[in-house]
């Protein structure tokens, strides 16, 4: 449904990954290397999915990953996802590249919120974004560290999405979606409003906002800069985009309280490991120092249960709510969350486990 509802360049931007999309595919197929081991004849008359995440109570251990520009995929954009997340008792994450402001997201619903920030060359702009999150009551801050440069997403080049140039092959698809074009061109509904609402983001000459942003990505960043961000923020700090025990240890030492094991949904480093394969080692080494979130490839309830049994505190989904958003706005996202949560509950019952707090290594086996 998402494919039918979106112009092809936009759908391929959502759906695609870097280079040959090996990592994109592997993020999901890696789950097949694990088997679930049931404990039969356990009392599963009620299943408890409640837990806490980044110091906040949540109704089940799944959160919304930060993704830029939700209004690309549906006119209702970020507020629709927030309303759905609120109904399902989940953490919502806003991207720096969102199409709704930090303040409007804060007002859009009562679920706990996380802001995903980049440490930009203009540290003043980063500090300003952090101050706005504090003033708006965000519960956590997330630093994405896997984007020193943009990934090589070849579908975006093929369909003209990254260059902003019109490709002949995409013309019929644009013509079939006049409503989308009206919103983009006439209503200017797709702006990265968190950057345009700051006086610091000054564009040079013909530079587009996206070019300005890409120019602001700072290749010189080190863990020292994370220490700066941790002291600037002073609350739960999540490092997103790490895969190794060594990097997770750096994160903890720099002041982070959580990590998102993630390769940006296969959109940055091709050949990066699947997040699910990173959980056990990190949990063994650092579970007492960091909360661990598995982010990438999750499409089924069994994937969530496997990640938790391996030692993750929670899972995070990107495309898992973006396809439903494009398919049906808020109702689509709610339908997606319902399917996923029902699958988790059914899997737990079939495994003989009545609480996510009890999931552990006895319930899972590596198949190799
Ligand atoms: C369309 C799209 C836009 C994204 N934008 C961002 C972003 O602005 N910041 C960020 O940290 N991650 C971004 N991500 C990555 C997601 O936060 C998340 O890591 C990824 O989607 C997880 O993989 P999954 O889609 O298989 O669940 C984006 C992902 C997609 C699909």
């Amino acid at each position: 449904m998402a494919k039918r509802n979106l112009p092809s360049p936009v759908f391929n931007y959502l759906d695609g990954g870097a280079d040959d999309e090996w990592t994109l595919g592997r993020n999901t197929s890696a789950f097949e290397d694990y088997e679930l081991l049931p404990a039969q004849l356990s009392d599963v008359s009620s299943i408890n999915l409640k837990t806490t995440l980044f110091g906040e109570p949540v109704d089940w251990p799944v959160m919304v990953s930060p993704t830029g520009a939700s209004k690309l995929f549906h006119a209702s954009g970020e507020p629709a996802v927030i309303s759905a997340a609120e109904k399902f008792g989940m953490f919502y994450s806003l991207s720096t590249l969102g199409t709704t402001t930090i303040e409007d997201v804060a007002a859009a619903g009562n679920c706990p919120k996380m802001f995903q920030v980049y440490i930009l060359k203009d540290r003043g702009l980063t500090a300003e974004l952090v101050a706005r999150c504090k003033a708006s009551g965000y519960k956590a801050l997330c630093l994405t560290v896997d984007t020193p440069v943009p990934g090589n997403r070849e579908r975006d080049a093929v369909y003209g999405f990254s260059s902003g140039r019109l490709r002949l092959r995409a013309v019929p698809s644009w013509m079939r979606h006049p409503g989308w074009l009206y919103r983009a061109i006439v209503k200017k509904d797709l702006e990265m409003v968190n950057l345009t609402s700051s006086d610091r983001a000054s564009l040079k000459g013909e530079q587009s906002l996206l070019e300005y942003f890409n120019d602001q990505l700072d290749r010189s960043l080190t863990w020292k800069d994370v220490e700066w961000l941790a002291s600037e923020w002073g609350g739960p700090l999540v490092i997103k985009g790490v895969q190794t025990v060594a990097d997770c240890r750096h994160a903890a030492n720099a002041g982070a309280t959580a990590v998102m094991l993630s390769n940006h949904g296969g959109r940055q480093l091709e050949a990066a490991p699947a997040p699910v394969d990173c959980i056990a080692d990190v949990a063994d080494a650092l579970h007492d120092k960091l909360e661990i979130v598995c982010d990438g490839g999750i499409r089924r309830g069994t994937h969530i249960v496997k990640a938790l049994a391996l030692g993750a505190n929670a899972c995070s989904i990107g495309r898992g709510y973006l396809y439903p958003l494009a398919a049906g706005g808020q109702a689509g996202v709610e339908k997606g969350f319902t399917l996923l949560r029902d699958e988790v509950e059914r899997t737990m019952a079939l495994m003989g486990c009545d609480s996510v707090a009890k999931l552990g290594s006895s319930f899972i086996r590596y198949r190799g």
Side-chain angles (χ1 to χ4, degrees):
M1 288 171 77
K3 189 170 193 175
R4 196 171 60 217
N5 288 353
L6 294 172
S8 57
V10 180
F11 177 76
N12 281 287
Y13 166 70
L14 193 180
D15 194 52
D19 294 24
D20 295 316
E21 303 187 343
W22 179 88
T23 292
L24 172 62
R26 179 76 192 143
N27 281 355
T28 299
S29 66
F31 283 100
E32 292 168 18
D33 293 341
Y34 299 88
E35 292 172 337
L36 290 172
L37 305 173
Q40 307 294 17
L41 297 184
S42 307
D43 178 356
V44 286
S45 38
S46 74
I47 306 280
N48 183 7
L49 300 184
K50 287 188 193 301
T51 184
T52 58
L53 191 58
F54 316 143
E56 298 295 312
V58 289
D59 286 350
W60 61 312
V62 175
M63 62 178 280
V64 171
S65 304
T67 59
S70 294
K71 289 184 184 170
L72 275 174
F73 311 116
H74 196 275
S76 58
E78 286 84 359
V81 184
I82 294 163
S83 300
E86 184 180 5
K87 277 195 186 172
F88 283 75
M90 299 161 75
F91 238 98
Y92 174 81
S93 317
L94 174 68
S95 160
T96 292
L97 305 179
T99 35
T100 304
T101 62
I102 290 171
E103 293 74 16
D104 288 347
V105 162
N110 273 330
C111 55
K113 317 254 171 40
M114 176 169 92
F115 184 71
Q116 176 264 313
V117 76
Y118 296 96
I119 300 181
L120 301 168
K121 283 181 191 160
D122 179 354
R123 298 289 196 274
L125 178 52
T126 300
E128 183 185 297
L129 292 168
V130 171
R132 286 171 63 185
C133 292
K134 275 193 203 172
S136 302
Y138 281 60
K139 302 292 185 192
L141 186 74
C142 162
L143 174 68
T144 295
V145 295
D146 55 10
T147 54
V149 294
N152 174 39
R153 304 183 198 152
E154 294 183 356
R155 289 205 228 179
D156 290 353
V158 167
Y159 287 92
F161 190 88
S162 44
S163 61
R165 281 196 211 103
L166 193 63
R167 292 267 186 252
L168 218 51
R169 73 163 68 203
V171 170
S173 180
W174 289 120
M175 303 311 288
R176 277 197 302 279
H177 296 90
W180 194 98
L181 288 174
Y182 173 77
R183 279 201 300 117
I185 298 165
V186 182
K187 278 187 76 192
K188 300 211 179 303
D189 212 12
L190 304 180
E191 280 195 353
M192 295 177 221
V193 286
N194 285 306
L195 297 179
T196 51
S197 56
S198 169
D199 295 336
R200 301 188 70 97
S202 52
L203 308 186
K204 295 180 220 129
E206 291 291 287
Q207 196 181 32
S208 73
L209 199 57
L210 193 60
E211 283 164 346
Y212 165 77
F213 174 76
N214 286 338
D215 191 45
Q216 276 292 323
L217 294 175
D218 188 349
R219 291 193 200 194
S220 72
L221 288 186
T222 68
W223 292 103
K224 273 261 163 259
D225 299 291
V226 178
E227 287 173 20
W228 168 77
L229 187 69
S231 68
E232 197 69 23
W233 166 244
L237 177 64
V238 186
I239 304 298
K240 174 173 183 284
V242 282
Q243 288 125 20
T244 64
V245 173
D247 271 357
C248 292
R249 193 165 277 128
H250 283 308
N253 292 341
T257 55
V259 284
M260 287 174 83
L261 302 176
S262 173
N263 53 42
H264 219 102
R267 297 162 78 80
Q268 288 294 112
L269 174 66
E270 176 72 326
V276 66
D277 286 337
C278 307
I279 299 170
D281 287 349
V282 173
D284 276 355
L286 293 161
H287 71 96
D288 53 341
K289 293 203 167 66
L290 293 167
E291 282 181 281
I292 299 166
V293 178
C294 175
D295 171 68
I298 288 156
R299 303 289 182 271
R300 285 286 190 181
T302 51
H303 297 164
I304 293 162
V305 174
K306 285 178 180 179
L308 299 177
L310 286 166
N313 297 84
C315 291
S316 196
I317 53 172
R319 295 178 186 83
Y321 75 89
L322 290 178
Y323 295 126
L325 178 67
Q330 183 180 334
V333 179
E334 288 180 18
K335 173 86 177 175
F337 289 161
T338 303
L339 291 172
L340 212 48
R341 197 185 51 190
D342 286 354
E343 286 185 11
V344 173
E345 262 170 3
R346 187 182 310 111
T347 303
M348 298 276 295
L350 290 170
M351 284 170 62
C353 182
D354 67 353
S355 161
V356 287
K358 293 183 187 164
L359 280 171
S361 56
S362 65
F363 285 101
I364 194 155
R365 174 165 75 192
Y366 183 64
R367 203 165 65 87

